[in-house]
């Protein structure tokens, strides 16, 4: 399964568990408009660390805070080989 697929699957799963409605997912979707709240994103990031073995937001490397879904996925794709 690709990194992108893992991320999308987690977004959908967490939204369902938190009874939140996701906007149509596209790379240019602003994260603030995604339908997930900050708790939902925290859960996604924690689960992605478990699944992918990386957390781009706590690494030693300088990572810009993602604004869009594409930025969010790209942060992971740059670390997962």
């Amino acid at each position: 399964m690709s990194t992108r697929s893992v991320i999308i699957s987690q977004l959908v799963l967490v939204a369902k568990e938190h009874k939140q409605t996701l906007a149509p997912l596209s790379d240019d979707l602003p994260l603030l408009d995604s339908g997930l709240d900050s708790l939902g994103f925290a859960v996604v990031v924690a689960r992605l660390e478990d699944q992918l073995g990386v957390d781009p937001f706590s690494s030693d490397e300088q990572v810009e805070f993602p604004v869009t879904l594409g930025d969010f996925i790209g942060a992971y794709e740059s670390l997962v080989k």
Side-chain angles (χ1 to χ4, degrees):
M1 187 177 257
S2 72
T3 300
R4 174 179 291 273
S5 298
V6 170
I7 293 168
I8 298 296
S9 294
Q10 281 303 320
L11 290 169
V12 170
L13 180 61
V14 170
K16 183 177 180 180
E17 291 171 353
H18 290 231
K19 296 177 178 44
Q20 296 172 329
T21 302
L22 284 179
L25 300 177
S26 65
D27 281 350
D28 61 344
L29 174 68
L31 292 177
L32 291 175
D33 298 335
S34 69
L36 280 183
D37 59 14
S38 58
L39 175 60
F41 271 107
V43 171
V44 168
V45 169
R47 289 183 182 178
L48 290 174
E49 183 175 9
D50 288 344
Q51 280 190 286
L52 301 174
V54 296
D55 178 355
F57 312 109
S58 68
S59 71
D60 292 338
E61 293 183 32
Q62 191 74 304
V63 176
E64 287 188 36
F65 187 77
V67 175
T68 66
L69 179 58
D71 297 339
F72 185 78
I73 291 170
Y76 283 92
E77 288 178 332
S78 69
L79 296 175
V80 176
K81 304 295 179 196

